[in-house]
Amino acid sequence: MKEPSIIILVVGYLEENLLRDIQLQLGTVFDPLYVTISGNISAPKKAYNLQRRQYRTLEFMKALRKHTVDKNSKHLGITNLDLYTEGAEFDFGLALQDKNLCIVSTHRLRPEYYWQPSNPQLLLKRAVKEAVHELGHCFGLEHCYNPRCAMHFSSGVIDTDRKRERFCEECQKRIRTKITIQHQKT
Ligand SMILES: [Zn+2]
Ligand SMILES: [Zn+2]
């Protein structure tokens, strides 16, 4: 039996359908790694900044770290809450490569945030792109200059919509080696 290699943890609330679809699509991108959902954890209260009405990403990382169950697996936190780090307006996500840990926020990926009608397919696409991006960092990838590559940095949803859920050829080559190593560990 294959052991989990990418473990998804929901922080707070996320739609069940969205979560399952993200799991499925990550399974394709990171094949042959196995993607599992490990349940919900509550948002750390002290992460909330009352003035900004946003949550500190690094506090989320600390909370997630307590739930990392397997040192050979990558852990992806997903939250619907609005995240930020000092000096930035917001975070779509963040990765701590040395900790095998990353997080993605769907808050500003939702069309509703921009006063547009709800669009579950678009939200799914955006969430997968940002999840692939942060997991890419966990596997040691840096930002990519190719605007179509999942490793391209998104400063807003326009960038996210331009890129694909996949890695460019160069990034794909780099990550293949890492995935093979990871696969052998589990
Ligand atoms: Zn990045
Ligand atoms: Zn690339």
Side-chain angles (χ1 to χ4, degrees):
M1 196 185 124
K2 271 205 275 183
E3 294 296 319
S5 293
I6 292 174
I7 300 168
I8 303 177
L9 290 147
V10 176
V11 189
Y13 165 81
L14 201 77
E15 299 96 313
E16 194 64 27
N17 288 353
L18 176 61
L19 184 60
R20 298 281 163 204
D21 288 343
I22 292 173
Q23 177 191 23
L24 270 175
Q25 296 206 15
L26 291 179
T28 313
V29 176
F30 292 96
D31 180 66
L33 300 184
Y34 194 54
V35 185
T36 52
I37 297 168
S38 166
N40 283 65
I41 63 172
S42 46
K45 281 198 186 74
K46 65 174 178 184
Y48 192 60
N49 180 323
L50 199 63
Q51 274 86 43
R52 293 183 61 142
R53 295 188 189 175
Q54 285 178 300
Y55 292 79
R56 289 180 195 89
T57 311
L58 287 173
E59 290 294 337
F60 270 59
M61 293 302 228
K62 275 188 213 163
L64 279 172
R65 215 141 94 200
K66 290 183 195 145
H67 294 267
T68 52
V69 283
D70 173 18
K71 66 175 170 52
N72 289 327
S73 291
K74 313 287 184 202
H75 295 77
L76 165 71
I78 304 182
T79 185
N80 187 36
L81 297 165
D82 197 13
L83 300 180
Y84 81 99
T85 38
E86 286 310 329
E89 194 188 326
F90 68 91
D91 289 334
F92 278 151
L94 188 81
L96 297 178
Q97 199 181 318
D98 55 330
K99 303 284 191 296
N100 278 342
L101 185 63
C102 61
I103 190 159
V104 165
S105 163
T106 57
H107 192 85
R108 293 176 191 238
L109 299 176
R110 291 175 190 269
E112 299 94 307
Y113 183 82
Y114 309 94
W115 306 102
Q116 286 163 357
S118 154
N119 184 338
Q121 276 313 108
L122 180 60
L123 171 60
L124 171 64
K125 268 180 172 247
R126 287 173 175 174
V128 170
K129 287 171 188 181
E130 293 310 320
V132 169
H133 180 99
E134 297 309 337
L135 284 166
H137 282 315
C138 280
F139 281 102
L141 293 188
E142 305 286 341
H143 285 153
C144 178
Y145 65 90
N146 184 340
R148 301 274 289 152
C149 173
M151 287 318 291
H152 194 72
F153 174 73
S154 287
S155 58
V157 278
I158 294 172
D159 297 323
T160 307
D161 289 341
R162 195 178 295 132
K163 63 188 183 184
R164 296 184 303 171
E165 297 95 322
R166 302 282 173 152
F167 300 110
C168 72
E169 220 173 296
E170 286 305 305
C171 291
Q172 183 66 21
K173 260 186 245 163
R174 279 182 212 121
I175 203 160
R176 271 296 121 199
T177 328
K178 310 277 177 106
I179 287 178
T180 311
I181 295 166
Q182 171 97 2
H183 190 51
Q184 283 157 355
K185 273 199 252 176
T186 57

